[in-house]
Amino acid sequence: MGTRGSTLVGSMPAKKEPDTSSYSGRIAARIRELREARGWTVAELAEKINGRVRKAQRISQWTVHSWDNGARAVNPD
């Protein structure tokens, strides 16, 4: 079992649908929609985001997974 921030995809919880009745749920659904349309995994999206931000702002694969499922709101900063 992987730890937080691990690159082990097998440690991720099962995929669930975000609650689209809220703004953050609609953002989460859109992130997933765009990620899947490009054929990217959660790990690939995290890698692509991290390639475009400062080191102090890097995010974990777990954070992207949480956005994808609507379990965590996206911080626009």
Side-chain angles (χ1 to χ4, degrees):
M1 179 91 42
T3 60
R4 188 168 191 236
S6 171
T7 58
L8 298 174
V9 175
S11 65
M12 292 293 174
K15 179 178 171 179
K16 73 172 198 173
E17 294 300 317
D19 174 15
T20 57
S21 66
S22 69
Y23 177 75
S24 62
R26 289 189 298 275
I27 296 296
R30 184 70 173 145
I31 288 171
R32 179 186 290 173
E33 177 186 341
L34 293 171
R35 179 185 62 73
E36 289 177 345
R38 287 163 176 75
W40 297 342
T41 65
V42 168
E44 289 170 326
L45 178 55
E47 189 176 302
K48 290 175 186 306
I49 291 169
N50 288 331
R52 300 184 68 127
V53 297
R54 293 184 307 230
K55 190 172 184 175
Q57 294 178 315
R58 293 199 175 161
I59 59 166
S60 70
Q61 175 179 322
W62 184 260
T63 298
V64 174
H65 177 75
S66 295
W67 294 342
D68 202 62
N69 286 323
R72 183 176 186 169
V74 178
N75 180 344
D77 293 335

